[in-house]
Amino acid sequence: MALLCLPSAAANLLLGAPLQQPAAFTVARIGGAGLLTLGVACWLARNDAQSPAARGLIAAMVIYNIGVALILGSAGVRSQSVGIILWPAVVLHTVMTAWCIMSLRSSSIAERPGNFS
């Protein structure tokens, strides 16, 4: 929601610099809309964790979280100024990646023939 409503403030918290170009605001808001959409899809699939669609959504979240952790981590290493929430965000996305992978593995184990869990 921060990227949709206050994209410059969100960028400042993450990267230590506000957005300055109108195009940057537009791209940030598009990213915020995409994240909101992904969050709604995850929320709606929360009670149907074993379906192929939900598993695909979790796999997409793995790719997203890996990408964000790498992009933010790279920005933090290359930049001298970073925002106050950059490294906590990197840790959060790394933990979310691990959690999604564990969820995928546990659901694939539960689906194996002969497993009565």
Side-chain angles (χ1 to χ4, degrees):
M1 292 302 294
L3 283 174
L4 275 172
C5 301
L6 303 165
S8 188
N12 196 28
L13 286 171
L14 278 171
L15 305 173
L19 301 176
Q20 296 179 354
Q21 300 295 322
F25 282 92
T26 301
V27 170
R29 286 191 169 117
I30 290 169
L35 290 173
L36 179 61
T37 302
L38 193 54
V40 168
C42 288
W43 179 259
L44 293 173
R46 72 190 183 278
N47 294 324
D48 195 19
Q50 301 302 322
S51 74
R55 292 191 47 166
L57 187 57
I58 295 170
M61 290 299 298
V62 168
I63 295 166
Y64 168 75
N65 282 304
I66 287 172
V68 170
L70 290 174
I71 291 166
L72 290 178
S74 175
V77 169
R78 289 182 292 132
S79 178
Q80 292 182 358
S81 65
V82 298
I84 191 167
I85 65 167
L86 178 83
W87 293 114
V90 171
V91 170
L92 171 70
H93 285 285
T94 303
V95 169
M96 289 297 295
T97 298
W99 180 76
C100 288
I101 290 170
M102 289 187 319
S103 294
L104 284 173
R105 291 191 68 185
S106 69
S107 66
S108 68
I109 291 169
E111 291 177 354
R112 288 187 187 150
N115 192 344
F116 301 107
S117 57

